[in-house]
Amino acid sequence: MVQPDDFLFADVEKVKQIPIVQTVLEVICRSTGMGFAAVARVTEDRWIACSVQDEIGFGLSVGEELEIGTTICNEIRGSGQAVVIDHVDENEFYSGHPTPRIYGFKSYISLPITLKSGAFFGTLFAIDPKPNQLQNPRVIGMFHLFAELLAFHLDSIQLMERTRAAMHDLATQLLVPNDETRQYRHISSHNLQEPLRKLRTFSDMLVNATDRYEIEKARELAVNIRSSAQQFSMMIKDLSDFSGLKDSDALTSVCLDHVVADVTTQLRPQIERRNITVETDRLPSIMAVPHQMEQLFFQLLDNAVKFCGHDEPPRIRISSRELALHEIDDLLPEPLQMAYAEISVEDNGIGIGDSQLEKVFDIFARLPTGSFRQGEGVGLAYCRKIVRNHKGIIKAEANPGKGTTFVITLPLSR
């Protein structure tokens, strides 16, 4: 499971991307006589070394941590002010401070690295076991310059990441309408034509039966016309509902445990009738449109109920895990800079063939394993559109004869 430190260590990698950092630390040591200089990522409860110049054998490497409460950097994070100490023993405040005793230094200088947004990133600092003359405009001015330079580069990296995310969003926005346009064309030329053809045929037959006073035949044809009209009406409604699934609805915190519990309650009669076992892991809370999340999991569970095992005890399993950063990079060519959850809905039913894994997400998709019935063929299309609305992806994994797993990847809000 991804921990917050994955994202802190991503910040460490950002510092590594700045080519001048090591040069800055070398210049600090050479121009001040300090034996150890570093850039640290500092949060409320973490302190991580991002880059290090160690000429005194201090023993701290890149990526290693210090206990946040033992550092002066934690105090700088709170105050946003520089700390400069020429000689700890002669400093009225820091002579009794525990940090110099813990780490064995006599001189110390540290400045905050503050991003353009005002967010505190960490510190640029130097220490030495000997006293040093640091309280002078040249040294302090140099540290200010270097801290601002590091902040500029970090802001530039963040800007590049936001640009990449925006390009990803734009590409997705261009792709999705094209995909839906393809489906709408197919629907207008195929799916909607079938009930219209039936209506025309049955209407012609009804006219002929009425002309011949074939009352029973006319009654049978009227029933067929009503059925075809209902199917056509349902398809139009489904299309209207599908088109109405917007990504502009307000997001709020949604507990997926509660969503799945509610959906399971709605489907309980079908679940109990087939004696289906439903197993559910602990699911995350995400920023989402509540009614779209309910529709997503209703469609997935309803699909699993319909197709779970017949030859063996039917079972549905819902599991969740948080993806590691390298998995996100492998999964998404342009991932957003946030955590992702992977949620799986697995049944042990008839499964889906490899050739159908993408087609099942098309509107009014018909699978070779079952006939199309009124009100069916849109559920998984809803699922894909809802997941796309939330900047995620959905895919089907199949093992024909042994079941189907739908895997949903959704970003988590930090």
Side-chain angles (χ1 to χ4, degrees), residues 74-128:
N74 187 43
E75 299 170 12
I76 296 171
R77 182 191 64 81
S79 68
Q81 300 298 315
V83 172
V84 184
I85 307 170
D86 288 347
H87 194 320
V88 167
D89 296 341
E90 297 175 359
N91 187 285
E92 181 178 354
F93 180 80
Y94 286 100
S95 60
H97 198 283
T99 297
R101 293 198 304 272
I102 293 173
Y103 298 111
F105 62 79
K106 294 294 184 182
S107 53
Y108 175 92
I109 180 170
S110 180
L111 271 75
I113 300 172
T114 306
L115 303 181
K116 186 177 181 181
S117 64
F120 176 83
F121 179 86
T123 58
L124 171 66
F125 74 98
I127 61 173
D128 196 89

Side-chain angles (χ1 to χ4, degrees), residues 97-271:
H97 198 283
T99 297
R101 293 198 304 272
I102 293 173
Y103 298 111
F105 62 79
K106 294 294 184 182
S107 53
Y108 175 92
I109 180 170
S110 180
L111 271 75
I113 300 172
T114 306
L115 303 181
K116 186 177 181 181
S117 64
F120 176 83
F121 179 86
T123 58
L124 171 66
F125 74 98
I127 61 173
D128 196 89
K130 304 183 301 296
N132 210 319
Q133 293 295 320
L134 303 173
Q135 288 278 7
N136 66 75
R138 182 185 64 82
V139 171
I140 296 175
M142 178 182 67
F143 266 81
H144 273 294
L145 176 63
F146 286 158
E148 290 173 3
L149 186 61
L150 294 177
F152 169 79
H153 280 281
L154 289 168
D155 282 326
S156 299
I157 292 172
Q158 287 190 357
L159 179 60
M160 290 175 61
E161 290 175 346
R162 288 197 298 271
T163 302
R164 186 175 68 171
M167 292 177 63
H168 173 263
D169 283 348
L170 178 60
T172 301
Q173 291 169 16
L174 292 173
L175 172 65
V176 172
N178 288 340
D179 177 62
E180 291 181 8
T181 298
R182 171 188 64 80
Q183 293 188 59
Y184 287 140
R185 285 175 181 159
H186 181 81
I187 290 164
S188 63
S189 60
H190 294 86
N191 298 89
L192 294 180
Q193 293 303 314
E194 178 63 15
L196 285 174
R197 184 191 64 78
K198 288 181 179 179
L199 284 170
R200 286 193 296 267
T201 301
F202 290 144
S203 296
D204 291 341
M205 293 173 66
L206 177 60
V207 170
N208 293 333
T210 302
D211 288 343
R212 293 192 298 266
Y213 297 98
E214 297 173 348
I215 304 303
E216 289 302 319
K217 182 68 173 177
R219 183 179 291 113
E220 177 185 338
L221 289 167
V223 170
N224 288 336
I225 289 173
R226 183 162 57 246
S227 175
S228 294
Q230 288 174 342
Q231 180 184 2
F232 186 75
S233 177
M234 180 64 73
M235 294 175 76
I236 295 299
K237 181 181 183 300
D238 287 335
L239 276 175
S240 178
D241 290 345
F242 180 82
S243 298
L245 287 171
K246 304 295 185 182
D247 60 0
S248 56
D249 293 338
L251 303 181
T252 187
S253 179
V254 176
C255 176
L256 295 184
D257 279 330
H258 295 164
V259 171
V260 170
D262 290 343
V263 168
T264 303
T265 299
Q266 295 174 46
L267 293 171
R268 189 163 303 283
Q270 299 94 305
I271 292 171

Side-chain angles (χ1 to χ4, degrees), residues 365-411:
R366 303 186 188 203
L367 296 180
T369 53
S371 60
F372 173 84
R373 296 198 299 274
Q374 177 177 303
E376 293 186 355
V378 294
L380 293 177
Y382 282 167
C383 292
R384 179 166 63 179
K385 187 162 186 179
I386 289 169
V387 170
R388 282 176 170 174
N389 284 351
H390 290 80
K391 313 302 181 188
I393 59 173
I394 182 171
K395 63 180 180 178
E397 297 177 349
N399 189 355
K402 295 185 179 180
T404 303
T405 302
F406 287 95
V407 182
I408 310 101
T409 304
L410 292 169

